[in-house]
Amino acid sequence: QVTLVESGGGSVQAGGSLRLSCAISAYATRPDCMAWFRQAPGKEREAVATLFRERGDSTYADPVKGRFTVSRDHAKDTLYLQMNDLKEEDTAMYYCATKPEPRSWICTVELGEHASQWPYWGQGTQVTVSS
């Protein structure tokens, strides 16, 4: 059983920064592979970043490479998404997700792009970027 609770969303001007947090509570399930997804109105949910365990490999979708950084604090059981140089097209509801996946090479944006592959989700936090 896993519970994920996101926070940190808000409204920001283009070029600004936000840090999203995802509090993780897991029982009898190991959240090896974690991800941030986003969904804009009228669009499909898309994976933007993944992280394998605490210090494992991270991967990013092309639109956010160089601007977003995913990290995890094991002591605080929290996943973060640092978002810099935000653009209007980053406006979306952001979700964290996890799945028990012991193979690091599976834990990537490319191989985890479908929301159906992830059994555990948070409720989401809204990010709005204005010009």
Side-chain angles (χ1 to χ4, degrees):
Q1 183 67 31
V2 178
T3 301
L4 305 173
V5 180
E6 301 96 334
S7 61
S11 297
V12 65
Q13 288 192 325
S17 299
L18 282 174
R19 188 178 79 158
L20 306 183
S21 299
C22 174
I24 306 161
S25 177
Y27 176 75
T29 299
R30 183 168 180 169
D32 297 301
C33 181
M34 301 216 59
W36 285 98
F37 280 74
R38 67 185 181 187
Q39 187 168 20
K43 295 188 176 181
E44 291 188 359
R45 194 170 295 191
E46 61 174 352
V48 296
T50 61
L51 179 66
F52 181 72
R53 295 181 180 166
E54 184 181 356
R55 297 185 180 88
D57 293 337
S58 57
T59 68
Y60 299 90
D62 286 342
V64 307
K65 282 181 180 177
R67 300 188 297 121
F68 289 13
T69 303
V70 60
S71 62
R72 181 174 176 179
D73 186 328
H74 183 73
K76 295 182 178 180
D77 285 336
T78 302
L79 181 75
Y80 299 101
L81 185 68
Q82 178 67 44
M83 305 185 295
N84 298 328
D85 189 23
L86 282 161
K87 306 176 186 299
E88 287 185 78
E89 52 264 40
D90 295 319
T91 295
M93 184 72 80
Y94 283 72
Y95 301 88
C96 66
T98 188
K99 58 181 176 179
E101 175 53 72
R103 299 167 293 179
S104 61
W105 60 274
I106 295 288
C107 187
T108 67
V109 165
E110 290 76 17
L111 295 180
E113 62 178 337
H114 300 295
S116 60
Q117 298 170 290
W118 301 79
Y120 303 106
W121 292 86
Q123 83 289 350
T125 187
Q126 178 67 38
V127 172
T128 302
V129 184
S130 58
S131 59

